[in-house]
Amino acid sequence: MNKRIIVLSILLVAVLASSGVAGAEEIFVVPGGQSIGVAVVTEGLVVIGNSDLGNIPSPARLSGLRAGDRLLSVNGESLTSAEHLLYLIDGKDSVELLIERDGKRFSREIRPVHDPRDGISRLGVWVRDSAAGIGTLSFYDPETMKYASLGHAITDIDTGNILSVEDGLLFDAAVVDINRSESGSPGELIGQFSLKDAPVGTIRENNSFGVFGELYAKPYESAYSGTVPIAEPASVKNGKAILLTTLTDGEVHAYDCEITRCTRQDSPAMRSMSIRITDEELIRQTGGIAQGMSGSPILQDGKLVGVVTHVYVGDPQQGYAVYAKWMYDEMAA
């Protein structure tokens, strides 16, 4: 991997909930807003496409492999990288691949062929074994050091599939530039982090509600580093709120927003609420919501109510958020 990488947000913003329990004990967490770098290694290799070898048809394509499949092992040996795949098929007349597709696993025999351009045995398949990007820390539990971030899954940029994370690390990151959002074109926070720096946490789960794991230490301090209670979904209401996020000055700031719609959800689901950015400074800098702001926490009446997930393509001053309670439940599981 590059020693210094500059990456876009992890598909933040996809382009376009249990009801309150009377007498329930309040849950306290520390709200985030800090920029984070996420680097993950997937389980197996993700197929992103097939390719003929000169005039020789792709063995992978002839065998029915397609984008989104995951190659887990060759002849029983787990795959760790694209280079490892080449090593395991080198000189073999045929190999048995263990493949996962749509949650189901199956085996398939494939015959590698010698690429006439360099003589190396190949399957004629393009694969990816890792991903990296920028997002926002949503909140963490100061007692367990478990954290929640992003508010949506890391997905493969080519296939759109949720990446199955085998190993991953969290890093401090910095926003170095901003491409403003415009109607019909979501912008992005351009960030950087170094894989040579000490990681600040591990990643254990990547699902529809975000990225979750454990922090090694508390993230850098902000003006909002104290604990706040998590609101029960039924208590969230339309009206004024604040959003915490980090831009190019490296500090977590509070920006005004408005909750315009609350969906009453009695079980975990996405798109819990709609929000509108009303802060003139945030609109000036980002156009509203930009890629890289996913995971930004939303507070109302001193409670953590939600986390930014998506932007409206036609109006980047508006977007979706998920109830923080749903993310906390995933984090604590």
Side-chain angles (χ1 to χ4, degrees), residues 10-311:
I10 306 173
L11 295 179
L12 150 92
V13 184
V15 184
L16 308 252
S18 159
S19 59
V21 179
E25 183 178 351
E26 285 190 314
I27 300 166
F28 287 82
V29 297
V30 179
Q34 296 91 345
S35 290
I36 52 171
V38 180
V40 299
V41 176
T42 61
E43 181 184 4
L45 308 178
V46 178
V47 174
I48 59 175
N50 297 317
S51 175
D52 292 341
L53 306 173
N55 295 323
I56 302 175
S58 162
R61 176 172 56 80
L62 295 177
S63 298
L65 288 185
R66 61 191 191 212
D69 287 349
R70 280 196 297 126
L71 309 184
L72 301 177
S73 68
V74 173
N75 295 335
E77 183 169 341
S78 297
L79 287 164
T80 59
S81 67
E83 293 77 13
H84 191 208
L85 173 63
L86 287 176
Y87 172 78
L88 292 177
I89 67 174
D90 184 45
K92 303 292 194 303
D93 292 328
S94 69
V95 294
E96 183 177 278
L97 289 179
L98 178 61
I99 302 160
E100 182 171 301
R101 176 184 297 163
D102 299 330
K104 297 180 179 179
R105 297 187 176 190
F106 59 94
S107 296
R108 183 156 295 173
E109 183 179 354
I110 298 181
R111 296 180 176 276
V113 298
H114 289 287
D115 189 333
R117 296 166 296 187
D118 57 17
I120 296 176
S121 297
R122 301 184 189 276
L123 298 180
V125 62
W126 293 99
V127 295
R128 179 183 291 113
D129 58 12
S130 61
I134 296 292
T136 302
L137 181 70
S138 302
F139 56 87
Y140 69 94
D141 183 329
E143 294 186 2
T144 66
M145 298 304 288
K146 291 183 177 181
Y147 74 85
S149 64
L150 296 188
H152 62 72
I154 304 171
T155 58
D156 185 86
I157 194 170
D158 293 294
T159 68
N161 293 341
I162 294 177
L163 293 178
S164 178
V165 175
E166 183 177 62
D167 189 21
L169 294 171
L170 208 67
F171 296 84
D172 283 330
V175 176
V176 296
D177 201 1
I178 299 172
N179 290 333
R180 291 183 77 256
S181 294
E182 303 288 348
S183 178
S185 178
E188 60 203 10
L189 306 185
I190 300 174
Q192 73 175 23
F193 64 96
S194 174
L195 295 174
K196 294 191 70 176
D197 289 344
V200 298
T202 60
I203 297 171
R204 64 167 177 80
E205 181 70 20
N206 172 44
N207 62 37
S208 298
F209 291 92
V211 172
F212 306 89
E214 289 77 39
L215 296 173
Y216 294 138
K218 294 180 181 180
Y220 58 85
E221 293 292 324
S222 77
Y224 307 92
S225 57
T227 59
V228 298
I230 289 182
E232 288 292 332
S235 71
V236 183
K237 61 184 182 296
N238 290 357
K240 293 182 178 180
I242 62 171
L243 176 152
L244 306 182
T245 202
T246 300
L247 301 180
T248 52
D249 70 352
E251 300 290 335
V252 178
H253 293 286
Y255 298 98
D256 293 331
C257 66
E258 180 183 6
I259 298 172
T260 58
R261 180 184 59 84
C262 297
T263 301
R264 294 309 170 198
Q265 298 171 338
D266 56 11
S267 61
M270 299 302 294
R271 298 189 177 184
S272 306
M273 66 183 83
S274 296
I275 64 169
R276 175 183 288 277
I277 304 301
T278 58
D279 194 287
E280 293 184 0
E281 178 60 21
L282 185 58
I283 293 172
R284 184 187 69 80
Q285 292 199 57
T286 67
I289 300 173
Q291 299 185 74
M293 288 171 59
S294 60
S296 297
I298 301 167
L299 287 82
Q300 183 183 64
D301 298 332
K303 294 186 176 183
L304 180 62
V305 297
V307 168
V308 175
T309 61
H310 297 70
V311 63

